[in-house]
Amino acid sequence: MAGADREEVVHPGMKVAEVLARWPHLLEVLVEASPAFQKLKNPLLRRTMPALVTVAQAARIGGLEPEELVARLNRALGKEGAPPGGGGGAESLLGTPPPPWLAAPVGFHLDVRPILEAGGEPFSRILAAAREVKPGERLVLEVLFEPIPLYRVLAKQGFLAWCEKVGERHYRAHFYRQGMGGEEGLAKAPPLTEADWEEVQAEVTIEENLEPPLPMMRVLEALASLKPGEKLLVHHVRRPVHLLARLEEEGHAYALKDLGPGRVKLLIRKGG
């Protein structure tokens, strides 16, 4: 009976396709949860992307915590809360006392709300902005929701975080770069050389008609099947900026070869 009960709720490991097949009305809940899901209203994309993506993965694509999205979907089904096993995450910083470093000068101020409202992914823009911030300075982000996943990502680069709610669907996140100690502690992947292109353990081809986030998901799934140190060759149709940011975050080495319009080769060596 416990197994049957579990099937009556959404859980993080379910594919989005299964969720929408069983409860079509949850499409509107997804779209309301994040502008990134607006594309699911496209019937063609709805037949492809959700088949590969779990609810937890979709939450991260939409800039949400998996537990938050699962709970929202289950509330729409008349079920309160999220099923166990959703996984932990960084905690909210809303309501915590302002840190003393809030008086530090602003090194970069970035408003990503227009990108989010258009259904875009600002992750690469944020990482690029973070690289411009010097020790002792702050990165200030204007966002539509508290960017909890960013706390972990930027902590690896030596940033402390704090967030405040400014208004309805308007949050201001502050990231203070403590110094270079945090970055020096990270293991930097050695760069790839020309010899690395000669032998790979797996290959993936990205077709022109694949809509985001399918290309990224296909590459990450192939990468997950490799052992640390093994290499994946990706035949892509464009420079995958969001994927590159993700590879940097996870510590994978990569190299690109631009072969002309619509032809890019990406070599990835799995880190870890």
Side-chain angles (χ1 to χ4, degrees), residues 2 21 45 54 58 60 80 84-85 94 102 106 146 160-161 192 195 206 215 218 225 229-230 239 254 256 262 272:
L45 183 58
T54 66
R60 296 186 181 98
E80 283 300 318
L94 291 175
L102 209 58
V106 175
E146 185 182 9
L160 299 175
L192 292 167
I206 303 300
R218 182 175 290 183
S225 68
E230 291 187 330
R239 184 184 180 92
Y254 66 85
L256 283 163

Side-chain angles (χ1 to χ4, degrees), residues 223-245:
L223 193 60
S225 68
L226 299 181
K227 299 175 183 176
E230 291 187 330
K231 289 171 289 186
L232 171 68
L233 179 61
V234 181
H235 303 274
H236 216 299
V237 294
R238 63 183 62 86
R239 184 184 180 92
V241 291
H242 302 313
L243 173 62
L244 299 184

Side-chain angles (χ1 to χ4, degrees), residues 3 10-11 45 49-50 59 65 77 81 89-90 102 104 106 111 114 121 141 193 198 212 220 235 244 251 256 267:
V10 177
H11 56 85
L45 183 58
M49 186 273 274
E65 282 295 292
L77 295 175
L102 209 58
V106 175
D111 188 347
E121 169 54 68
L141 298 179
T193 66
E198 296 175 4
L220 293 178
H235 303 274
L244 299 184
L256 283 163
L267 181 65

